[in-house]
Structures are given as structure tokens and as C-alpha cells.
Amino acid sequence: MEIKAIRGFNDILPQEIGKWHFVEDTARNVFHGFGFSELRIPVIERTDLFARGIGEATDIVEKEMYTFTDKGGNSLTLRPEATASMARAYLEHQMYSFDPVAKVYFMGPMFRYERPQKGRYRQFYQIDAEVFGVDNPMVDAEIIVMLMHFLRKVGLQTLELQINSLGCRECRPRYREELKRFFEKKTFQLCEDCQRRLHTNPLRILDCKVEGCKESIANAPRVIDFICSNCKEHFARVKEYLTVTGVKFDVNPNMVRGLDYYTRTCFEVVSYDLGSQNAVTGGGRYDNLFQEIGGLDIPGIGFAIGMERLISLLPKDRTFIQTPHLFIATLGNEASKEAYQLANELHLRGIRTELDYEGKSLKSQMRRAGKLNASYVLILGGDELNQGKAVLRNMGDKSQEEVPLKDLATLLQSKLPRL
Ligand code: HAM
């Protein structure tokens, strides 16, 4: 039986990879420009890190983690997100002793056992950025400005930035109680999951997409009306700093996010071109996470961009496929040997060169060059070859010229301005 990939786990094929490289390169450039450095984390961590960091009563920890026991009897988990791991690394390597402020980013696959559908996979890629060590609202705005700048740079235009404040350790419990009281009166309208959430994590009810629940959520008390004066002031300043930089946003008072570590500012970037899985990016502040995972009292804020969703939104008129600069078409054995030498030299100079390996007819070689979308074809063979020359065909305007083979690389470099 033919073995296929696992449902929810995707291959990224060569004709797609150009988009990924473009997005990753742009992220690196933008993030470096904002003073961020890469921090690479392992694929697997101790299960406890996510259980304590993300929260026992979240969907991720309750139902979606790929957890297994290794041969030493340790419970390990494939990372479902990057924030907890990055915080662990920051603590473990005492990065704060070098400088209390760390601006770090990471790109790589995450794993969640969710029901696969368009825009939702079991292995998916995130670009993640975090700032550790600052609770000043300036940083909340700064990281959002960086995110929006990046999204604009890759060509995404019709996006909506939604923000909210989730309060802090002081004011959230009061809201939680209020929410519980509100939904207790509506238990019969809630789905089975939300009836359970009512006791474990009532805030999660606000995120439920089941119709019956959505109706009762519409009139639920809003966190923004319950946050303390410090949190209100923090949120007001985040909005002020965003306004100063010209970043447009909407306050979405129902946004609660799916991970428990959030405090104060949270945000999402949504696209209405995405269908039901419409969040391209999610993020927020998490001032208690470090303590939850056994560390110091260190504030943090960050975001993660879903790469698959982002890539599906890239402008369709851009081509990201890497095509050959040159195809060498040959006539006869001598020409074929010469082509091998030439191709080697050109490869060393970074000129993408393809040739025929199968002794095909000139016609069929030209057909292949066209299919591969080569910029130029060098036709090698006959009398010209003996004179150290060949015919170079521009596949764009179909013009042809005789060119010397000596120092062909320099000639091609002058014709291919982007090299
Ligand atoms: P999250 O909202 O769970 O947040 O995920 C962030 C983004 O990852 C989502 O907006 C979405 O684009 C993408 N994503 C999530 N799950 C899937 C999936 N199953 N398939 C495809 N894409 C998906 C976090 O992960 C937080 N760690 C973000 C953060 C960083 N908060 C602070 N720092």
C-alpha cells in the first residue's frame, strides 16, 4: 500500500517554497530592523511547561497536544506554540543578566491535534516575536507597529487589527466571577463544552462558535468594563501610542484569546478573505507567564503569525517560482560535454543553469526550456562550437545572437541585472 502523509500534515512543494522564503526573509529583515534577534527552541519540551504556561483548562492543553512518554518515562510534548518555550529559554539561560530587555523571534512548525480544515492544520508554521522584561505600554504599541509594518511589506492590505485589554491578576478574578454568574443563568443555552468551561474557565465561553452559545455571549458582561484603573491607564496609553504611529485598530471587547497566560493588552489581526479561520496573527501581553513556569516576575508581550494563512493571502500577481537563468541545449556528444563544463562554471557563479541529460532532440530541449521558463537558451553545437561560440536566445523577446563561450558568465551577468 502506498504510504501517504498524515492528515493535517502538509508537504511544501518547490513551486510553493518561493513564497515561504519571501515571507521568512521579509520577517528577518523587518525584525532585525526593530532590534530583534533569533532564538531557536526545541521541537519537544516537558509537558509541564505547556500545561502550566498555556493553562490546564485551555483547548490546547485539554485536547490538542501531541503528548507521549519517552523511554525514560518522561511526559513530553511537541510544541503547540513558541511563547512558553522562549520564556523557558530566557530563564534557563538567564538572558536577563545580560540585559533585562530581550527582543527575540522564532520561526518554525507547531503541532496541535485540531480538526483539519482550510487554514487549520495539525502541523502548521508560525513566525513568533516576543519582548521580555518590559511592561511599558510603549512596547505593546512598538511590537504591534512592527507586526503591521511586516504584514504591509509582504503585500497584505485588507487586514483588521483588533485589540482588547484582559485586565490583570487584581481585576480579572472579579470579571471571571461576574461572567460565571451571568452564564449560570443561561446554562441550558450553552453547549456541553461551555457548560464544563463555566466551572473551569468561563472566559473561554466568549470564544465559542456554537450558535446557541453565540446568542448568550452577545449580552455577556465585557472585560473592559471590569478592569482596574491601572489596566485602564495601560490600555489607554497603548491606544495613544498606536495612534501616534498611525496604526489603525478596532477595540473588540469580546476578544479573549485561547491561551490562559494573557494579561492586559491582547490583539488579533484578521482577514475577511480567510473564511472561518480568519485570524492571521494572535498575540498579547503575559505578565504572569514567567512566574507560572517557575521563574521570576518578568513581564512579556508577543505575537505569532500563522504562516499558511498569511501565505494564502499573498498578492496573486506576484510570482515566487525560481526559474533557470539559462538552459543549455546541445547537439551531439561533444556539445554535451562542453555543456557540462559550462554549467559547472555558471553554477559556481550563481547562475541557475539547466541542461539536457538524456540526449533529446533540439526541439524537445527547446520545449523543456520553455516549460521551465528559462530566461535564456544557449544552443551549443555545429560549427559555432568549434569556433568557441554559440547562439544565445532571449526567451522573452525571442531575439538571438552569436556569443563567445569564453567568459559567458560575465556576459550573462550583464544581461541578468538582478544577479
Ligand atoms: P494562537 O492564536 O494560538 O497564539 O496562534 C497564532 C496564530 O497561529 C493564529 O492566529 C493562526 O494564524 C495560527 N494558527 C494557530 N493554530 C493553527 C492551526 N491549527 N493551523 C494553522 N494555523 C494556526 C499563539 O500561538 C501565541 N503563542 C501567540 C503569542 C505569542 N502570544 C504572545 N506571544
Side-chain angles (χ1 to χ4, degrees):
M1 198 182 74
E2 193 188 348
I3 300 174
K4 297 254 169 81
I6 311 164
R7 205 161 106 83
F9 289 72
N10 299 313
D11 300 308
I12 304 161
L13 302 178
Q15 56 265 37
E16 282 291 303
I17 203 73
K19 296 180 190 167
W20 289 73
H21 290 164
F22 164 69
V23 167
E24 289 160 0
D25 292 348
T26 311
R28 282 208 166 85
N29 279 336
V30 170
F31 294 0
H32 292 169
F34 277 74
F36 282 65
S37 308
E38 187 168 358
L39 164 64
R40 292 202 188 173
I41 48 168
V43 169
I44 299 173
E45 298 270 5
R46 290 187 189 281
T47 304
D48 266 1
L49 174 70
F50 302 119
R52 278 158 51 188
I54 300 171
E56 297 275 6
T58 56
D59 281 356
I60 296 180
V61 174
E62 271 185 352
K63 323 188 242 196
E64 295 169 2
M65 296 208 299
Y66 279 91
T67 297
F68 64 98
T69 307
D70 75 358
K71 291 194 169 63
N74 305 301
S75 177
L76 305 180
T77 295
L78 290 184
R79 60 178 182 227
E81 59 112 45
T83 314
S85 300
M86 289 166 88
R88 179 209 39 77
Y90 175 82
L91 288 172
E92 189 166 336
H93 302 285
Q94 296 171 6
M95 286 167 65
Y96 47 82
S97 62
F98 169 68
D99 188 279
V101 183
K103 297 182 177 179
V104 283
Y105 73 90
F106 173 73
M107 302 177 195
M110 308 296 154
F111 305 85
R112 296 184 193 173
Y113 191 79
E114 291 195 81
R115 198 169 48 76
Q117 64 179 84
K118 192 172 176 297
R120 190 161 72 190
Y121 310 103
R122 291 182 171 170
Q123 174 175 332
F124 59 97
Y125 286 75
Q126 284 186 343
I127 300 180
D128 185 293
E130 313 285 346
V131 180
F132 300 143
V134 197
D135 62 9
N136 192 316
M138 223 181 255
V139 162
D140 303 41
E142 192 178 293
I143 201 163
I144 293 175
V145 169
M146 176 171 92
L147 167 67
M148 299 314 284
H149 177 58
F150 162 73
L151 293 173
R152 254 196 319 275
K153 268 214 121 158
V154 291
L156 270 53
Q157 304 289 347
T158 52
L159 297 172
E160 190 176 297
L161 167 66
Q162 302 182 351
I163 62 172
N164 195 17
S165 174
L166 293 173
C168 65
R169 212 183 255 158
E170 310 318 313
C171 53
R172 182 106 57 90
R174 200 159 61 88
Y175 175 62
R176 197 176 180 276
E177 278 317 302
E178 189 66 27
L179 211 54
K180 207 167 156 204
R181 261 201 297 281
F182 173 83
F183 283 118
E184 264 165 359
K185 289 187 217 131
K186 297 180 180 289
T187 319
F188 60 96
Q189 279 181 16
L190 299 178
C191 71
E192 223 173 275
D193 267 347
C194 284
Q195 291 188 13
R196 194 172 37 79
R197 286 171 184 145
L198 189 53
H199 304 289
T200 55
N201 197 350
L203 261 77
R204 297 252 45 79
I205 300 176
L206 298 177
D207 232 12
C208 186
K209 302 286 181 286
V210 175
E211 278 312 315
C213 299
K214 279 208 289 205
E215 273 173 39
S216 28
I217 293 164
N219 300 317
R222 296 167 156 199
V223 62
I224 209 93
D225 300 323
F226 288 81
I227 60 177
C228 61
S229 55
N230 286 346
C231 288
K232 269 200 186 111
E233 170 64 16
H234 191 275
F235 194 45
R237 293 195 41 215
V238 172
K239 290 188 281 186
E240 210 176 287
Y241 285 126
L242 283 177
T243 308
V244 166
T245 48
V247 169
K248 296 202 166 49
F249 59 84
D250 283 325
V251 175
N252 174 358
N254 283 329
M255 187 205 304
V256 285
R257 308 274 306 123
L259 301 93
D260 270 359
Y261 49 57
Y262 290 113
T263 50
R264 294 191 165 174
T265 316
C266 66
F267 54 95
E268 283 186 357
V269 178
V270 298
S271 161
Y272 295 103
D273 298 333
L274 275 177
S276 64
Q277 301 303 316
N278 68 355
V280 190
T281 307
R285 176 164 281 291
Y286 41 86
D287 293 344
N288 307 327
L289 170 66
F290 283 90
Q291 283 183 317
E292 293 295 338
I293 63 173
L296 308 167
D297 184 8
I298 295 168
I301 181 160
F303 63 74
I305 302 163
M307 289 270 274
E308 287 81 356
R309 294 184 196 177
L310 168 62
I311 280 167
S312 74
L313 290 170
L314 288 183
K316 300 284 176 275
D317 54 346
R318 278 198 66 160
T319 165
F320 297 94
I321 298 172
Q322 190 167 277
T323 54
H325 295 124
L326 182 73
F327 187 95
I328 308 181
T330 52
L331 290 158
N333 277 346
E334 273 314 299
S336 178
K337 275 188 207 152
E338 179 70 27
Y340 169 76
Q341 290 267 31
L342 266 177
N344 266 326
E345 280 166 34
L346 296 175
H347 286 154
L348 298 180
R349 300 278 286 267
I351 298 174
R352 293 193 296 272
T353 308
E354 267 306 317
L355 42 82
D356 169 57
Y357 299 104
E358 293 169 279
K360 291 258 168 83
S361 70
L362 183 61
K363 196 168 160 202
S364 117
Q365 291 183 61
M366 292 303 287
R367 237 193 338 259
R368 183 160 166 244
K371 212 161 110 187
L372 293 176
N373 215 357
S375 309
Y376 287 88
V377 176
L378 188 76
I379 303 162
L380 263 192
D383 291 343
E384 296 106 331
L385 181 58
N386 296 332
Q387 295 161 23
K389 291 180 184 162
V391 172
L392 184 68
R393 182 175 169 84
N394 180 328
M395 295 295 274
D397 63 15
K398 310 288 181 222
S399 62
Q400 293 198 168
E401 62 183 310
E402 203 173 65
V403 296
L405 294 179
K406 194 166 169 288
D407 219 3
L408 181 68
T410 310
L411 176 78
L412 285 169
Q413 272 165 338
S414 70
K415 288 179 180 292
L416 298 162
R418 272 183 298 143
L419 274 182

